[in-house]
Amino acid sequence: MADSLPTEFDVIIIGTGLPESILAAACSRSGQRVLHVDSRSYYGGNWASFTFSGLLSWLKECEQDSEAGDRSAGAWQNLIQDTEEAIALRRKDDTIQHVEVFCYASEDTGDSAEEIDALQKNPSLVTSSTLTKPLDSACLSKETHSDSTSPEMPAKDTPQHDGEILPEVADREETQVKETDCGEKTCIHTVSDGAKDENKPVVEDNTGQPKRNRITYSQIVKEGRRFNIDLVSKLLYSQGSLIDLLIKSNVSRYAEFKNVTRILAFREGKVEQVPCSRADVFNSKELTMVEKRMLMKFLTFCLDYEQHPGEYQDFTQRPFSEYLKTQKLTPNLQHFILHSIAMTEPSCLTVDGLKATKHFLQCLGRYGNTPFLFPLYGQGEIPQCFCRMCAVFGGIYCLRHRVQCLVVDKESGRCEAVIDHFGQRIRAKYFIVEDSYLSEDTCAGVQYEQISRAVLITDQSVLKADSDQQISMLTVPPAEPGARAVRVAELCSSTMTCMKDTYLVHLTCSSASTAREDLEPVVQKLFTPYAETEIDEGDPPKPRLLWALYFNMRDSSGVSRSSYHGLPSNVYVCSGPDCGLGNEHAVKLAETLFQQIFPGEDFCPPPPNPEDIIFDGDDKQPEAPGTNTLIVAKLESSEGSQNLDSPGQHLQN
């Protein structure tokens, strides 16, 4: 049980986000005794992935967190001795703000009365005039995570969370959501054309238009377990630090990946495919022969631009966009390079733009025709993979386990222990805390950035192709100078993140306002709300928007340690997700902190071969009975080698 945890560890880690999970794996692999706890009921923190019903549960928890005060004072204060002082940790998570949900898909009136009743308790089916029971738990999965201190991790075949509501949360009195003034609360909106649907028509047949499947909200709910919706949208560079770490540590055996199949560009109101490889360039129908030669010449230069500093030395302090104008590139090519290959802002310096272009080109061809990979079942798989590695080497995990405070010795100024919500004092040498757990007093001098996020469910791709199983990366340039580009990742059903005949679309940019204000203009350019779908003979129909979620997420990646007030020297802080496309910041942060704590130790070395493990007091390799450590290692190894014929692939050097 959770209240019988060991009382002493080498490292206590609070939060299960990606940097914390990498650190947990590294510490456990180096022989440290690790306790990894999280007050949430799921792994990953703001790096998590949810099924559709799990996402609705998460939304309700966000709403309740925003309404609950920070009542951190408790009986634990009586456990602090005269020679000690306490640093209270935050009880509520306020990293998510300005949450707004829109449902554009119609309700299927052919469902049974029981199904309709359950669906009406979902937030997106509540009419705007009667917003009662916004996120009722009646429609959510009945499965729950149990409190556990076992090193056993979630099974591979159920990698994601249903976002289960805890019993204490489900029993709380429901609160009404206001639609007019969102602030930090969850806003629920239903968009309807007012007309009732016919009984379960499978396909809409519009004259002059190809047939399109009609997806209803009830279908989305019924197929909710097929969705794995990431809170943060990331891709893995095939030559990036996270891929290298996954391979080096052999953690890659716990996950499977798919190639991002195409890079897209948005120019003059249209979506186009960007040629990446040499073959793509010469097969492209979008470029003239002269443009193909121009592009290949420039990309060849970018691969070894450091060897030719004279070519760009006059532009080292000038924007990359200005440098491109001097390279005899057409406006079309300049747009492709700036927004879809370098993927930088127009104000980016020339050297940074050349570096980004080179990195893009170096990543081509390692695993596919584009530089990027995406993990099956979503980004939330990656933290869990590192947690599995930590557990295999003896790390102890406990979800829904709240740490009330850090206990600091007044004389030495070092943190000696933590006190959990059971009142148990647990000692350790080092403490790693995710930023969202630090109190307002500790973070009083911190200035945070914000990330604007949108998650959409649509009925077709933004750019049709011969295959409907496309994974696409699109950058929409800023509409006006000074604005931010919007990154769009479109995922198909073969990524195991959405149901068949739908696409899951993630939009991300750094915040200038609320997420809806930042991202809705781009959504309107690319998609048509279901209720407003009209027949237009001139242009091909846009994808129909079925469901949308907007929210702002805190970006603590740029915060330095000196910004926090009163942290003991043996307490280290991990940041939440950053706004970048890759995971380089999280990996670099984890490795930097590990080297600070354990200088000279190897960071996440490969695990030993189970056959090479030697047990004390035994000259021979033990048999399976009684060799728990060996059994776990073998099981994990076999688990990672399964499904080699599946749509995904394991990483190899």
Side-chain angles (χ1 to χ4, degrees), residues 258 374-378 469 471 491-498:
K258 283 187 72 71
F374 181 80
L376 293 185
Y377 303 101
Q469 295 301 305
I471 308 174
L491 308 175
C492 60
S493 59
S494 64
T495 62
M496 310 301 178
T497 59
C498 58

Side-chain angles (χ1 to χ4, degrees), residues 235 237 239-242 359 581-589:
L235 296 176
Y237 281 95
Q239 293 280 6
S241 56
L242 181 55
H359 186 216
L581 174 60
N583 298 273
E584 276 62 34
H585 179 270
V587 176
K588 183 178 180 181
L589 173 64

Side-chain angles (χ1 to χ4, degrees), residues 22-39:
I22 294 174
L23 272 166
C27 293
S28 181
R29 177 67 185 88
S30 66
Q32 308 299 320
R33 296 168 297 169
V34 176
L35 173 63
H36 202 175
V37 300
D38 200 324
S39 62

Side-chain angles (χ1 to χ4, degrees), residues 35 165 260 346 385 396 545 549:
L35 173 63
I165 295 182
V260 173
C385 290
I396 293 180
L545 182 57
L549 163 67

Side-chain angles (χ1 to χ4, degrees), residues 550-620:
Y550 297 91
F551 63 91
N552 290 90
M553 176 183 290
R554 177 194 292 175
D555 180 359
S556 55
S557 61
V559 179
S560 64
R561 178 184 173 85
S562 59
S563 300
Y564 299 106
H565 174 69
L567 281 184
S569 60
N570 61 334
V571 175
Y572 301 86
V573 181
C574 284
S575 66
D578 64 313
C579 195
L581 174 60
N583 298 273
E584 276 62 34
H585 179 270
V587 176
K588 183 178 180 181
L589 173 64
E591 184 171 8
T592 300
L593 293 182
F594 180 81
Q595 295 299 341
Q596 290 177 5
I597 300 172
F598 304 109
E601 288 282 344
D602 195 2
F603 180 65
C604 283
N609 189 321
E611 297 178 357
D612 297 334
I613 297 177
I614 299 175
F615 290 80
D616 293 336
D618 257 331
D619 294 326
K620 298 181 180 180

Side-chain angles (χ1 to χ4, degrees), residues 225-513:
R225 290 187 64 85
R226 297 190 181 276
F227 288 88
N228 286 291
I229 302 172
D230 296 327
L231 295 185
V232 59
S233 177
K234 298 279 188 182
L235 296 176
L236 283 73
Y237 281 95
S238 62
Q239 293 280 6
S241 56
L242 181 55
I243 291 291
D244 292 342
L245 180 62
L246 287 167
I247 294 173
K248 171 190 173 184
S249 62
N250 206 19
V251 171
S252 58
R253 61 182 172 161
Y254 300 135
E256 292 179 284
F257 301 83
K258 283 187 72 71
N259 296 307
V260 173
T261 57
R262 57 186 184 174
I263 307 296
L264 305 179
F266 185 81
R267 185 168 182 266
E268 297 179 351
K270 294 183 179 180
V271 178
E272 302 174 357
Q273 185 165 350
V274 177
C276 297
S277 66
R278 181 184 297 269
D280 286 343
V281 170
F282 287 106
N283 290 330
S284 174
K285 297 180 181 179
E286 306 293 335
L287 303 178
T288 67
M289 185 57 66
V290 174
E291 285 181 317
K292 292 176 182 180
R293 291 171 179 168
M294 288 179 178
L295 181 59
M296 286 307 303
K297 181 179 179 181
F298 181 76
L299 296 182
T300 302
F301 160 72
C302 289
L303 280 172
D304 61 350
Y305 73 92
E306 297 100 334
Q307 306 302 320
H308 308 282
E311 295 287 334
Y312 58 89
Q313 62 181 1
D314 294 337
F315 291 86
T316 53
Q317 300 300 319
R318 296 169 64 182
F320 187 43
S321 57
E322 291 186 13
Y323 175 71
L324 292 177
K325 293 177 182 178
T326 68
Q327 296 303 299
K328 298 180 181 179
L329 298 169
T330 64
N332 194 31
L333 294 180
Q334 293 178 37
H335 182 94
F336 282 175
I337 294 169
L338 183 64
H339 298 293
S340 300
I341 295 180
M343 296 184 182
T344 60
E345 300 290 341
S347 59
C348 168
L349 294 179
T350 296
V351 174
D352 294 331
L354 291 171
K355 182 179 179 181
T357 303
K358 179 179 179 179
H359 186 216
F360 181 98
L361 297 172
Q362 288 178 326
C363 292
L364 290 172
R366 185 177 189 184
Y367 297 112
N369 234 14
T370 71
F372 304 112
L373 294 177
F374 181 80
L376 293 185
Y377 303 101
Q379 171 73 27
E381 271 292 276
I382 304 301
Q384 291 189 75
C385 290
F386 284 100
C387 289
R388 289 188 182 101
M389 178 181 175
C390 176
V392 165
F393 287 94
I396 293 180
Y397 279 83
C398 202
L399 297 180
R400 294 189 297 192
H401 198 93
R402 187 180 302 278
V403 174
Q404 303 279 20
C405 68
L406 306 175
V407 180
V408 180
D409 180 72
K410 291 182 179 179
E411 182 177 353
S412 66
R414 292 176 58 86
C415 184
E416 300 289 343
V418 298
I419 295 178
D420 65 12
H421 63 290
F422 291 107
Q424 182 180 4
R425 179 184 289 247
I426 308 172
R427 301 178 61 85
K429 300 175 183 176
Y430 304 100
F431 302 83
I432 299 168
V433 185
E434 201 271 320
D435 171 89
S436 65
Y437 284 90
L438 298 176
S439 67
E440 293 183 4
D441 291 340
T442 304
C443 302
V446 177
Q447 295 293 325
Y448 291 109
E449 299 290 331
Q450 295 288 327
I451 304 170
S452 290
R453 289 277 292 114
V455 179
L456 315 177
I457 300 175
T458 66
D459 70 340
Q460 68 179 30
S461 175
V462 292
L463 182 64
K464 288 188 176 182
D466 294 337
S467 170
D468 62 353
Q469 295 301 305
Q470 299 284 348
I471 308 174
S472 307
M473 174 65 205
L474 167 67
T475 302
V476 179
E480 56 187 29
R484 293 288 188 175
V486 175
R487 188 173 71 243
V488 182
E490 183 184 70
L491 308 175
C492 60
S493 59
S494 64
T495 62
M496 310 301 178
T497 59
C498 58
M499 61 182 277
K500 186 179 179 181
D501 297 326
T502 65
Y503 288 82
L504 188 66
V505 183
H506 292 275
L507 287 81
T508 307
C509 74
S510 55
S511 299
S513 184

